[in-house]
Amino acid sequence: MANNIFVIAEHLNGKVEDITYEMLGKAKELAASAGGEAVAVLLGSGAKGLAGDFAAGKVLYVDSPQLAEFNPEAYCKTIASLVNSHAPKAVLVGNTSQGMDIAAGLSIDCGLPLIAYASDLSAGNVTSQLYGGKMNVESAVEGDRFIASVLAGAFPTDAGKGSGAAVEDVPAPDLSGLKIKFKQLHEPEGGDVDITASDVLVSVGRGIQNEENLEIVQEFADKLGAALSCSRPIVDNKWLPKTRQVGKSGLKVKPKVYIAIGISGAPEHIEGMKDAECIIAINTDANAPIFDFAHYGTTEDLFDVVPAMTGKL
Amino acid sequence: MNIIVPIKQVPDLVEELEIDSSGKDLDREWLKFKVNEYDDHALEEALLLKEEFGGTVTAIALDGNDIDKALYAAAAKGADKVVKVTGLDAHVSNHQAARALANVIQGMGADLVFTGVQSVEDRDGQLGVLLAHYLNMPHISVVTGVTVAGSNVVVKKEYSGGIYAEFEAATPIVLGIQAARETPRYVPVAKVRRAMSSTEMEEVSAGDVSVSAGSSVSRMFKPVSGGKAEMLSGSAEDVAGKLVEIIKSKS
């Protein structure tokens, strides 16, 4: 088992999340060079069927009512006991809401190095995207075993999908006396505007500086007949509702035209809009990562360009 | 509830980042720092809970990177106590930072520990979860709301697409805050200055931090620009004209 690569499968609402397949594809590659196999680790209750299209050498499945829904405490305990007993060479965890509650805990409970925000990895060398995507850092791992928390969208999903693999049932560890209890899942409330349905999105970020300035982009969007969306800081500051947020913790959008105004393009945001057909970026910082994804860009000040565009519509 | 909020200063990304001569770290000589924005949300959520349910809020930070200013600002916003942890290099791994904070926090009788869910330089993992495991406390990350129910807390954890889960948890617990229920409060500079003269900052030694991240940086580099964007130049008026044409032709 010592050359195997673990992938912690992620699912929500009865559906496997794409990050699982993205990591499985990469794990197969790493396992091949290490002389081991990709092993998917799936936790749930009556959820074995979710592994049906995993391209893995093997699936370790742990079934327990306590694991039916994601629970940071129960999942950490269960995965740590699996990693300790199977001693895989590497463990890939999503740098996602669920994975963030697993990776760092494993690092301490299993005594393994952790490299976060991984955008690429090979044996013993992991590349992380830090500083909002403005810097890449390569880390060398001490010893030959490690954990990486992998950015969503870093690898294609195709290579991780297949005809399934042998599933080995593993008994759950003692999960009595948990201090965290799952209560319920809440679906998003319907918003006033469906940003996923709009052909043109005017999207605003931190560069707008304050709530009053939103008027400038709202007026532009109105004249253009576009919906107004935004990046996370705008929602965290309650300037626009959650239903307008594009990105990792918001919505994925694929409009014909996406106009990013004052958005630097952190990896979490790029994840939500990189598939737009035409991306236009307006940002005074010439080094902003958004320009690596945009088709057209300008470093002119948004407070000059946006009103000028509104005037021409 | 006794709420502890670890905060830290991070490089302000509005400034241009340069790599130092080692090729492994930022050139820190001219770096400007600001409080990690998620830590601001963690402090805000703590202050909201205190206002609603009573208790105390303590802001705690490792020394370095202009941290005094940030701690006094926390006091000015309403933190009852500010603690500076000394004896560590300002730029340690998160494993070491978490170990140092755990050394100090474990004697403080915390009911809740609120950290920012992440920062822009968590190369070896997010601080809150590391801290929780050193403290032997459970943790929930990506939290967007906390309420108190007796000796328990009810916590909202956010997933993608606007879905969120609700958990009920016993205290003590570490929560990684994504966003407070309200916009983090603003505090005028004059109030921070007053806090500097009226607040007694407690200094505590980091203690034994002989833990390792188990990895080291071998290279730092700026992402190779795909040079993908066609950059438009000219006056704002010219650029606006060209962009409007592009938008019309592509939509």
Side-chain angles (χ1 to χ4, degrees), chain A residues 77-93:
Chain A
K77 254 185 196 171
T78 305
I79 296 167
S81 83
L82 278 172
V83 170
N84 280 331
S85 61
H86 288 72
K89 193 173 188 70
V91 183
L92 308 188
V93 186

Side-chain angles (χ1 to χ4, degrees), chain A residues 84-306:
Chain A
N84 280 331
S85 61
H86 288 72
K89 193 173 188 70
V91 183
L92 308 188
V93 186
N95 195 78
T96 56
S97 179
Q98 294 187 15
M100 279 166 76
D101 263 322
I102 296 170
L106 278 188
S107 170
I108 292 178
D109 292 351
C110 304
L112 293 174
L114 162 64
I115 314 292
Y117 304 106
S119 58
D120 199 7
L121 46 141
S122 57
N125 197 337
V126 183
T127 306
S128 307
Q129 281 183 1
L130 300 181
Y131 303 105
K134 285 189 156 187
M135 284 290 171
N136 285 355
V137 167
E138 275 175 17
S139 296
V141 175
E142 294 162 16
D144 60 351
R145 301 177 60 213
F146 67 96
I147 304 161
S149 62
V150 178
L151 291 171
F155 308 114
T157 54
D158 301 357
K161 289 186 178 170
S163 51
V167 179
E168 182 184 324
D169 288 293
V170 181
D174 179 14
L175 294 174
S176 58
L178 291 178
K179 298 194 182 77
I180 298 176
K181 291 198 164 47
F182 170 81
K183 304 294 277 185
Q184 56 188 322
L185 267 190
H186 293 263
E187 296 294 330
E189 289 160 24
D192 52 340
V193 170
D194 181 2
I195 60 168
T196 63
S198 187
D199 274 348
V200 183
L201 278 179
V202 171
S203 208
V204 61
R206 198 193 302 274
I208 199 69
Q209 296 174 2
N210 62 48
E211 188 170 10
E212 288 68 44
N213 288 342
L214 277 182
E215 237 172 72
I216 300 167
V217 282
Q218 182 69 63
E219 196 187 348
F220 172 56
D222 290 346
K223 274 272 178 75
L224 195 59
L228 183 65
S229 60
C230 64
S231 63
R232 187 194 47 72
I234 305 296
V235 171
D236 284 353
N237 284 326
K238 319 291 179 219
W239 297 345
L240 283 172
K242 184 84 197 163
T243 48
R244 305 288 190 99
Q245 184 187 336
V246 173
K248 176 181 172 185
S249 56
L251 295 162
K252 287 197 170 55
V253 296
K254 285 186 197 176
K256 286 184 179 155
V257 183
Y258 186 85
I259 308 159
I261 300 174
I263 292 177
S264 67
E268 292 87 350
H269 186 77
I270 300 297
E271 193 184 321
M273 46 62 80
K274 64 179 190 305
D275 295 329
E277 282 172 37
C278 176
I279 298 168
I280 295 169
I282 302 171
N283 198 311
T284 48
D285 178 3
N287 296 311
I290 190 77
F291 290 122
D292 292 339
F293 298 89
H295 302 88
Y296 300 93
T298 180
T299 53
E300 289 295 315
D301 196 322
L302 76 90
F303 295 106
D304 298 327
V305 176
V306 176

Side-chain angles (χ1 to χ4, degrees), chain B residues 52-64:
Chain B
E52 206 174 337
F53 300 98
T56 57
V57 172
T58 303
I60 182 171
L62 302 188
D63 198 3

Side-chain angles (χ1 to χ4, degrees), chain B residues 4-221:
Chain B
I4 313 285
V5 185
I7 61 174
K8 80 181 258 195
Q9 295 268 85
V10 294
D12 188 344
L13 299 187
V14 170
E15 306 290 317
E16 180 139 357
L17 301 179
E18 294 297 342
I19 298 166
D20 72 5
S21 56
S22 77
K24 298 177 180 182
D25 195 5
L26 294 179
D27 185 343
R28 293 179 176 264
E29 193 174 346
W30 304 107
L31 269 188
K32 262 183 72 183
F33 289 91
K34 56 177 261 196
V35 173
N36 175 24
E37 60 178 305
Y38 297 98
D39 295 353
D40 250 344
H41 281 271
L43 178 63
E44 180 62 33
E45 190 69 21
L47 295 171
L48 290 172
L49 274 191
K50 177 185 123 173
E51 285 157 10
E52 206 174 337
F53 300 98
T56 57
V57 172
T58 303
I60 182 171
L62 302 188
D63 198 3
N65 298 338
D66 229 355
I67 198 67
D68 289 18
K69 199 175 66 185
L71 284 170
Y72 286 124
K77 287 179 176 184
D80 303 276
K81 208 170 128 182
V82 294
V83 178
K84 184 161 77 173
V85 180
T86 58
L88 272 187
D89 181 42
H91 189 50
V92 293
S93 71
N94 273 3
H95 278 69
Q96 286 173 300
R99 182 65 261 179
L101 289 167
N103 289 345
V104 178
I105 291 172
Q106 63 197 2
M108 294 174 74
D111 296 305
L112 296 169
V113 180
F114 287 2
T115 67
V117 64
Q118 63 184 44
S119 84
V120 293
E121 45 186 6
D122 297 329
R123 187 186 64 88
D124 59 322
Q126 288 85 17
L127 182 86
V129 179
L130 295 169
L131 177 59
H133 281 252
Y134 284 133
L135 287 169
N136 270 318
M137 290 184 192
H139 52 84
I140 302 176
S141 297
V142 201
V143 169
T144 56
V146 186
T147 55
V148 174
S151 63
N152 289 352
V153 283
V154 177
V155 177
K156 281 186 189 176
K157 174 183 172 70
E158 188 175 87
Y159 296 124
S160 58
I163 299 173
Y164 68 91
E166 196 179 302
F167 296 95
E168 182 161 352
T171 55
I173 188 169
V174 178
L175 301 179
I177 306 291
Q178 163 88 27
R181 282 166 288 158
E182 307 284 341
T183 308
R185 63 198 65 188
Y186 170 77
V187 59
V189 177
K191 213 173 160 193
V192 178
R193 283 216 193 90
R194 277 204 298 279
M196 288 174 89
S197 53
S198 63
T199 309
E200 197 176 326
M201 188 181 298
E202 194 182 322
E203 294 195 17
V204 186
S205 159
D208 181 6
V209 291
S210 51
V211 294
S212 163
S215 69
S216 55
V217 173
S218 47
R219 184 163 81 103
M220 177 179 274
F221 58 102

